[in-house]
Amino acid sequence: MTFSRWTLSAALAAGLSVMASGAWAQAVDVQNAWARATVQGQKATGAFMTLKASTDAKLVSVSSPVAGVAEVHEMKMEGDVMKMRALAADLDLPASKSVELKPGGYHIMLMDLKLPLQKDTTIPLTLTFKDAKGVETKKELKVAVSQTAPAGSAPAAAHGEHKH
């Protein structure tokens, strides 16, 4: 009986150790998260942040109860025209490299807003990541609402309403 308890304890300890290392390996650090404040009647805005994954991962979805639709978008120049559109696939997060979601580049669009986003408040935002093995994890954030980027983050270019 003692041997089987020891074996069970050792197996549980090993399993917990593997689970802990798996959870550690898929961690994504989020820094300088903020969403642009809106005015009455505005139905869309952007959210911005820097993501850094400890191992190769992907941002596969985003959601918020303040928006009917939340998507990762990209702005880029095509010829001499700036185009903005939802990403057709997940956003790659290469291991140990910072990926900026900022005005004028990759960003999160919050559309069909259910209420105005007021400066100096916070909104909930859920990011869903997938690691190289296909394991999904969610990260719940409280994102500051501001007119401008927090000190130390990317400069805030104008980001007007965007029709989906």
Side-chain angles (χ1 to χ4, degrees):
M1 189 69 125
T2 304
F3 177 75
S4 62
R5 279 190 187 156
W6 181 87
T7 304
L8 179 59
S9 294
L12 283 172
L16 289 174
S17 174
V18 169
M19 286 175 23
S21 68
W24 174 255
Q26 58 190 326
V28 177
D29 183 40
V30 179
Q31 294 185 356
N32 299 320
W34 68 286
R36 188 175 309 279
T38 62
V39 296
Q40 190 67 36
Q42 186 176 338
K43 291 296 185 183
T45 194
F48 315 97
M49 63 201 67
T50 300
L51 304 173
K52 188 173 184 179
S54 57
T55 63
D56 287 343
K58 294 176 183 283
L59 174 60
V60 296
S61 70
V62 60
S63 64
S64 177
V66 303
V69 177
E71 300 174 332
V72 178
H73 281 210
E74 178 183 24
M75 288 183 77
K76 66 179 178 178
M77 292 297 293
E78 290 184 6
D80 56 355
V81 177
M82 178 67 81
K83 300 266 184 159
M84 178 168 34
R85 63 178 57 99
L87 291 185
D90 305 327
L91 179 62
D92 288 328
L93 304 174
S96 302
K97 296 200 185 220
S98 293
V99 176
E100 283 189 82
L101 278 64
K102 62 184 180 180
Y106 292 118
H107 59 279
I108 294 170
M109 279 303 299
L110 301 171
M111 298 173 288
D112 297 330
L113 293 174
K114 297 175 182 178
L115 65 152
L117 303 189
Q118 297 180 348
K119 181 181 174 225
D120 299 327
T121 61
T122 61
I123 59 166
L125 195 63
T126 302
L127 305 178
T128 303
F129 303 100
K130 188 182 287 188
D131 68 13
K133 295 177 183 174
V135 176
E136 285 192 0
T137 56
K138 292 184 184 290
K139 188 161 215 150
E140 306 283 335
L141 304 172
K142 290 288 184 196
V143 176
V145 177
S146 178
Q147 289 297 104
T148 59
S153 62
H159 189 280
E161 184 170 344
H162 165 91
K163 300 287 184 203
H164 187 264

